[in-house]
Amino acid sequence: MSNDGAEGACVVQAKADGFPAGLLTPKESAAARGLGARNFEDLVRVPPRRYAAPGPLRDLRYLNEGEDISVIATVERTRERSMKNRKGTLLDVRVRDDEGESLSLTFFLFKAHLVTWHMSRLREGTRVLVSGTVSRYRGENQIAHPDYLLLADNPSAHEARDIEKALEPAPVYPLRGSVTQKVMRSLFSKVLRHASDLREVVPEAIRHERDLPGIQEAARLLHAPRNSADIERALRYFRFEEAFIIQSIFARRRAQDVADSAPPLATYGDLSRALDERLPFDLTPSQEEVGDQIAERIAEPHPTSLLLQGDVGSGKTVVALRAMARAVDSGYQAVLLAPTEVLARQHFATITTMLGDLARHGHLDAHEAATRVRLLVGAQKASERRESLLDLMNGEAGIAVGTHALLTENVDFLKLGLVIIDEQHRFGVDHRRQLRSKGPGHLRPHMLVMTATPIPRSAALALVGDLDSLTLKGRPHEGAAVSSYVVPLGDDAWRERMWERALEEIRAGRQAFVVCPRIDLDETGEGGEESALVDMSAPITHPPETPQPLHAVTGTLETLRAQPGFSSLRIEELHGRLPSDVKRERMEAFAAGEIDILVATTVIEVGVDVPNASVMVVLDAERFGLAQLHQLRGRIGRGTHPGIAFFATQFGRGSAQHEGLTELAETTDGFALAELDLERRGGGDLVGDIQSGTSVAVRFLDVGRDARMILEAREDALVTEALARGSLTSSSLTPPTPSEHDALDSAIARHSARGVDDLERS
């Protein structure tokens, strides 16, 4: 008697708890754990890395070198001989098709039992289905290490089905440890056996409108496709499902914001007026417009969530400070969170300088409308930290600036009304929610997140879709021009002129940055710094003849100090592995003009303001994204001296890497570069950069390719959430059923738990 029914019931019970006891072998269980899968719902959404698709059936007379083909032929002879230059056996099998055309199958075998096994199967007169890539050897066609299927002497209907099955695309899964593809395919066959127990995440009404299969069919199409059309239909479903889950998360956050209460920060009071009166420059029209939009939004009694995008030097800090002043005028506190201590301290210095006596509440020389500004970072004297904590708790400090240290449980605010996060891609949703929970009583503070790394619209919708986007355009004071050049390191003249030009600037009293992708020669990039500008597996027209190791901070520092002309200069290093106090001292010394050249990683990417720095040399520049290089370039030309940026690469003219850097050198618009980065690198790489601190992981979506699908999913998620809450009563869609709603709840929980670790694994 079959126990399929009982087993199916067991699977349903085990959806959230794991796999039914005894169903998976130990190897299959290990494979599932290696994929981060806790149940069949997780497993079915693990995409194959690729598909091994045999070539089409062909006649032997029409073969071309390099083609993937399949052929039905008969073994004519088998011959073995020892290899000449190494141990092992070369097995040569001659096959002939029904037209009399022949082909050699070649196996290079290093174990005797494999020779015996192949010869016992490939006997003279045996019919076989052979698949592989055609190559030429001594003027004849051959296939090395072909796949083959033994056929019966006489064709039959059963054989036709076997051949059809053998020619289907075979999923190739990512492997962990000692797990084999055989084990993986056995595991996924069990997934398909229980596909009927999977719950539908995308409501039926949406699937019907978007012409999507159900989860059961999509699972079969993904893991047991019959052709490429099956794969495409499966991927379309799973891409949409993923987009729908992400957009549903955002839709629920937005709905929660509407339901929550926030302090209305509507007062333009004495602090705001005094700040505007003493600004040393006129606000740009864009700063005024965006400032008015922020003021309007934070005056609402419900928490607003805004993304402020602005190119390098667009003046985001003053816009943020004006919003913080409005919060203080309204009787609340504001906090600015920065990703690094260096940047936090620089924001603190900028804000206190800009406010002047407006930041000296409690001092005799303070302005009557003054507040107190406090700094809170990890590496801080205990006495300073205690003072900051006390002032935040009793409300004496209206403005706080800090790093992740502001997120700890022992940091309490009296009346937190506004949270501003700089460089939002360095922080995750969880960080934003932690700060939002620090509001007074039941009130939730307003949230403004800023980035100088513009995010293309499709990526923003996919990754920060719970935020409304505002864009700062132009720059309040253009500063000096920055010229950019691509330097092929293999060209001695260009390389030498690059260093000579840097020396000329330093001798004229200016300073230089030298950026490397690694800290030490034997280590990988710091914090993901080795993100390639373009796909490094793509064809390279002019690769370096002798590839060199990537430049590292420590090695470059030693090399420069030993070079004639540089030996007398003050050269220091800066990277994330240095103690916080050392990093701070180095940046302060560089800003004070006490260091001529700072050899660094991308720790200097954002926020570092040294007006006297006029040279930026980026070594192995192809290892960085265009937007990241644009950020680095923004560290120079911030004063009165023109800036010079050198993007040095091992790849020569005509290579994809060199062309990408040339496009960067010719473009100064960060938003245009963000779109170009998305186009060149693909959405997958860009997602990795933007998401480095988020909890939203993607497996199937590509934010460039799937932009339209993301918009469709966003529309459906907003409508579905409104229907579920009863705030929308009429729509072409129907409200989700209780089971559909529960399935979406489970999918959101599963997706949120998967997180970035899973993104990196996949």
Side-chain angles (χ1 to χ4, degrees):
M1 180 176 177
S2 171
N3 66 351
D4 285 352
E7 187 179 73
C10 187
V11 171
V12 173
Q13 177 64 35
K15 284 185 191 299
D17 304 323
F19 298 99
L23 181 61
L24 302 184
T25 67
K27 289 184 178 180
E28 290 168 350
S29 295
R33 287 195 302 271
L35 294 171
R38 295 168 296 176
N39 48 46
F40 285 124
E41 294 279 4
D42 289 340
L43 267 179
V44 78
R45 293 170 174 87
V46 175
R49 188 181 298 279
R50 60 184 177 85
Y51 293 87
L57 280 173
R58 298 286 302 274
D59 290 333
L60 290 181
R61 73 175 72 179
Y62 300 117
L63 300 186
N64 295 309
E65 186 175 5
E67 277 188 314
D68 291 326
I69 62 102
S70 297
V71 62
I72 296 175
T74 302
V75 176
E76 191 174 49
R77 63 166 174 78
T78 302
R79 184 174 61 191
E80 60 173 308
R81 56 185 171 85
S82 298
M83 286 188 259
K84 292 182 179 179
N85 299 320
R86 49 183 169 169
K87 292 182 179 180
T89 300
L90 189 151
L91 181 63
D92 179 42
V93 180
R94 174 76 64 176
V95 297
R96 189 176 296 275
D97 66 9
D98 292 341
E99 302 298 323
E101 299 290 333
S102 62
L103 175 72
S104 288
L105 312 180
T106 306
F107 300 83
F108 299 92
L109 306 172
F110 300 95
K111 294 183 179 180
H113 75 275
L114 291 178
V115 178
T116 303
W117 185 76
H118 280 295
M119 291 191 68
S120 68
R121 290 162 57 83
L122 297 171
R123 297 178 181 275
E124 183 179 339
T126 301
R127 293 177 66 248
V128 290
L129 170 66
V130 178
S131 298
T133 304
V134 178
S135 60
R136 299 281 291 178
Y137 179 69
R138 292 184 176 178
E140 293 188 355
N141 289 328
Q142 71 166 7
I143 297 178
H145 285 284
D147 293 322
Y148 62 89
L149 174 70
L150 300 183
L151 303 176
D153 291 341
N154 299 309
S156 64
H158 180 73
E159 178 186 277
R161 288 194 297 272
D162 288 344
I163 293 174
E164 183 179 349
K165 183 70 177 175
L167 295 177
E168 291 175 358
V172 178
Y173 295 98
L175 301 178
R176 305 282 184 264
S178 60
V179 175
T180 65
Q181 286 295 335
K182 182 178 180 181
V183 171
M184 294 296 291
R185 287 169 182 163
S186 173
L187 175 62
F188 280 94
S189 71
K190 292 180 179 178
V191 173
L192 297 183
R193 195 182 308 162
H194 297 287
S196 60
D197 297 309
L198 300 170
R199 292 190 289 176
E200 297 285 1
V201 173
V202 182
E204 183 180 2
I206 296 176
R207 296 200 313 274
H208 177 75
E209 185 165 303
R210 302 297 183 194
D211 188 28
L212 296 171
I215 183 62
Q216 183 176 352
E217 182 185 356
R220 199 271 305 166
L221 296 175
L222 184 70
H223 297 290
R226 295 190 179 92
N227 48 51
S228 59
D230 282 359
I231 298 170
E232 284 304 311
R233 184 161 171 77
L235 290 175
R236 186 168 184 276
Y237 169 83
F238 284 106
R239 286 167 185 159
F240 186 91
E241 183 197 71
E242 193 164 71
F244 182 70
I245 293 170
I246 293 171
Q247 296 305 321
S248 294
I249 293 172
F250 293 152
R252 293 184 179 192
R253 287 179 189 155
R254 286 176 172 273
Q256 187 61 50
D257 283 348
V258 172
D260 286 341
S261 297
L265 310 178
T267 304
Y268 182 73
D270 293 340
L271 179 61
S272 296
R273 274 191 289 271
L275 172 61
D276 283 349
E277 288 170 0
R278 64 179 54 192
L279 287 177
F281 48 81
D282 293 331
L283 296 173
T284 66
S286 183
Q287 284 177 314
E288 291 183 344
E289 180 184 354
V290 169
D292 290 343
Q293 291 174 319
I294 293 173
E296 181 181 347
R297 293 293 295 270
I298 64 177
E300 295 292 329
H302 302 288
T304 190
S305 299
L306 296 171
L307 171 67
L308 176 58
Q309 299 195 81
D311 205 348
V312 176
S314 60
K316 295 182 296 299
T317 303
V318 69
V319 172
L321 180 56
R322 294 181 74 227
M324 288 190 280
R326 189 173 287 262
V328 175
D329 279 335
S330 301
Y332 290 88
Q333 295 165 292
V335 60
L336 173 59
L337 185 65
T340 66
E341 183 176 328
V342 169
L343 184 54
R345 288 184 179 276
Q346 184 153 311
H347 275 311
F348 178 75
T350 299
I351 288 172
T352 52
T353 300
M354 200 172 292
L355 288 173
D357 59 353
L358 292 172
R360 296 181 58 78
H361 173 70
H363 293 75
L364 291 176
D365 60 346
H367 189 282
E368 60 183 9
T371 186
R372 187 171 293 169
V373 182
R374 281 298 188 184
L375 176 70
L376 196 64
V377 293
Q380 198 169 22
K381 292 180 180 178
S383 58
E384 292 180 357
R385 183 175 179 82
R386 281 195 300 270
E387 290 177 358
S388 293
L389 290 173
L390 181 61
D391 282 351
L392 294 177
M393 187 165 36
N394 63 26
E396 288 294 311
I399 296 175
V401 181
T403 58
H404 289 81
L406 288 164
L407 301 173
T408 57
E409 292 182 1
N410 66 336
V411 179
D412 293 315
F413 297 85
L414 180 67
K415 296 181 71 177
L416 182 60
L418 175 64
V419 173
I420 297 177
I421 298 178
D422 195 17
E423 291 308 313
Q424 81 85 25
H425 64 286
R426 304 294 184 92
F427 296 96
V429 172
D430 294 339
H431 295 136
R432 304 209 303 259
R433 296 291 149 176
Q434 278 178 272
L435 277 170
R436 184 154 262 179
S437 69
K438 291 181 178 288
H442 68 285
L443 297 179
R444 298 288 179 262
H446 300 281
M447 183 77 64
L448 173 67
V449 295
M450 306 190 299
T451 180
T453 305
I455 307 173
R457 174 168 168 75
S458 58
L461 290 177
L463 307 172
V464 287
D466 56 334
L467 306 175
D468 291 329
S469 181
L470 301 175
T471 300
L472 269 179
K473 299 176 181 178
R475 301 175 69 171
H477 42 87
E478 290 297 331
V482 176
S483 303
S484 301
Y485 302 93
V486 182
V487 178
L489 288 170
D491 188 318
D492 294 344
W494 272 80
R495 185 182 66 253
E496 291 171 7
R497 180 54 185 153
M498 174 180 75
W499 293 117
E500 287 174 4
R501 190 67 187 86
L503 271 178
E504 290 170 6
E505 288 291 307
I506 294 168
R507 287 169 181 153
R510 270 123 23 212
Q511 296 160 276
F513 292 100
V514 176
V515 179
C516 305
R518 298 191 297 180
I519 298 175
D520 292 325
L521 289 172
D522 58 348
E523 295 192 5
T524 57
E526 178 185 272
E529 290 166 9
E530 287 198 36
S531 54
L533 172 67
V534 294
D535 181 4
M536 298 301 290
S537 64
I540 299 170
T541 311
H542 300 286
E545 293 182 6
T546 307
Q548 301 296 315
L550 295 181
H551 289 83
V553 170
T554 53
T556 301
L557 180 73
E558 294 173 3
T559 300
L560 285 177
R561 284 176 171 173
Q563 290 297 313
F566 287 86
S567 57
S568 62
L569 300 180
R570 299 164 297 177
I571 308 175
E572 296 293 346
E573 64 181 337
L574 185 70
H575 52 75
R577 200 184 299 153
L578 293 173
S580 295
D581 57 339
V582 174
K583 285 190 289 186
R584 182 178 67 254
E585 291 169 1
R586 292 272 166 83
M587 274 312 309
E588 290 175 351
F590 190 62
E594 298 168 4
I595 296 173
D596 298 310
I597 300 178
L598 196 64
V599 184
T601 60
T602 53
V603 69
I604 56 98
E605 177 185 348
V606 293
V608 177
D609 190 3
V610 183
N612 193 49
S614 63
V615 179
M616 169 72 64
V617 176
V618 184
L619 300 172
D620 302 311
E622 74 279 352
R623 304 303 300 183
F624 305 91
L626 294 178
Q628 190 174 35
L629 291 171
H630 181 58
Q631 282 285 311
L632 290 169
R633 178 171 58 185
R635 300 307 102 210
I636 59 173
R638 301 175 75 86
T640 58
H641 308 296
I644 307 172
F646 295 105
F647 302 122
T649 174
Q650 291 189 37
F651 295 87
R653 297 173 184 83
S655 67
Q657 288 81 353
H658 193 283
E659 289 177 2
L661 293 171
T662 300
E663 288 177 311
L664 167 67
E666 296 173 350
T667 308
T668 58
D669 183 343
F671 289 90
L673 286 170
E675 294 289 349
L676 185 61
D677 222 2
L678 177 60
E679 177 185 334
R680 294 187 66 89
R681 300 172 66 197
D685 287 340
L686 184 63
V687 166
D689 290 347
I690 295 172
Q691 280 193 320
S692 58
T694 73
S695 59
V696 178
V698 296
R699 281 175 169 168
F700 293 93
L701 276 177
D702 181 297
V703 296
R705 178 197 60 213
D706 302 322
R708 181 173 179 178
M709 180 179 287
I710 291 168
L711 286 171
E712 292 174 348
R714 180 181 181 83
E715 175 187 329
D716 292 343
L718 290 171
V719 171
T720 299
E721 183 63 20
L723 289 170
R725 289 177 177 265
S727 57
L728 180 66
T729 56
S730 62
S731 170
S732 60
L733 299 178
T734 56
T737 64
S739 63
E740 288 175 336
H741 197 275
D742 289 345
L744 182 57
D745 284 346
S746 297
I748 288 174
R750 184 172 60 248
H751 195 273
S752 298
R754 201 170 79 212
V756 170
D757 287 343
D758 200 58
L759 171 67
E760 293 171 348
R761 267 201 307 272
S762 62

